[in-house]
Amino acid sequence: MNKVIRIGTRESQLAVWQATQVQNLLAQHGFAAELVYIKSEGDIDLKTPLYEMGVQGIFTRSLDIALLTDRIDIAVHSMKDVPTQLPKGIITAAVLKRASYKDLLVYKGELPAVTTAPAEALAKEGSPLTIATSSIRRKAQWLNRYPHHTIDNLRGNVNTRLKKLAESPWNGAIFAAAGLERIGLRPEQSIELDWMLPAPAQGAIVVACRENDKYAFEACQLFNDEHTALCTAIERDFLRALLGGCSTPISALANIVNGQVHFKGNILSLDGKEKATIEKTIAINNSNNLGSTAAKELLANGGQVIADQIRNGK
């Protein structure tokens, strides 16, 4: 009799939804699986901004420990939360087909200027808005476009953040579209921020297992999406080459169109005032080093100065 694969997950509604998707995919291929709930540090402390917590891996450490101590067989994560360097003994077992990679603004009242007016025009009309997010990437990009606005910290799972937004004086808050849409919580008063470049691997779900667990690895490989795996690997290589984590305003997006990989990436100063960008297109069969190559070009064209400022805390 085949063994039951133990799926480690955080306890939030979104995390459980993602783990259940993996459980269903395993079932479709004839593998029995059960969910095991693990509390993470990121779920316990909901007040400290993520970028002050040494956030890299904060949502994955507890699951990593559970994997390495054989409490679970696989762990399911939002891929953008996973450090670019996995702990020794843990490997990627599968990357699921990507959902929306976009950020969206959930707003209160009327916000037509945010959707239509450039920053220059918006700066001259109306009252400055207060927007909430715990993401330093979203904060930097928003302030780059709307430098007169105020950004407040917003922590918690999706449900908690929506509740805090409803009870606050904020004009709006920024969420990952995939997170809200997966659990059916996207409000009518929300708009996609097409101008905002996402976090590397945003919208993708990844499954990790122990390096020596051939059974779990081969089971998960049956639903690995090769295009999503390639694009997210490129984005994460870009992040790794820039020595960035969740506390660095680095964004990246790779798309495959007609056999070519289209890549966009950027790095911003913490206050959003400075920005360096890169765009590249290359054939799929030549794209293995695209992320690191793009990062080197970005650093040589204004990115290094910004990266040094961030490291020095300026």
Side-chain angles (χ1 to χ4, degrees), residues 206-220:
V206 65
V207 183
C209 71
R210 286 183 298 279
E211 187 175 19
N212 60 1
D213 191 341
K214 183 179 179 181
Y215 183 82
F217 177 80
E218 291 183 350
C220 294

Side-chain angles (χ1 to χ4, degrees), residues 42-49 106 108 130-134 152-175:
D43 294 317
I44 297 169
D45 182 348
L46 299 181
K47 294 182 179 180
T48 308
V106 177
K108 299 192 293 187
T130 299
I131 304 298
T133 177
S134 66
D152 277 355
N153 181 53
L154 174 59
R155 287 285 317 281
N157 60 41
V158 169
N159 310 70
T160 300
R161 284 181 283 150
L162 284 171
K163 185 173 185 291
K164 287 181 179 179
L165 172 62
E167 297 171 348
S168 75
W170 299 322
N171 298 103
I174 308 172
F175 294 79

Side-chain angles (χ1 to χ4, degrees), residues 9 33 46 90 178 299:
T9 177
L46 299 181
I90 295 178
L299 289 171

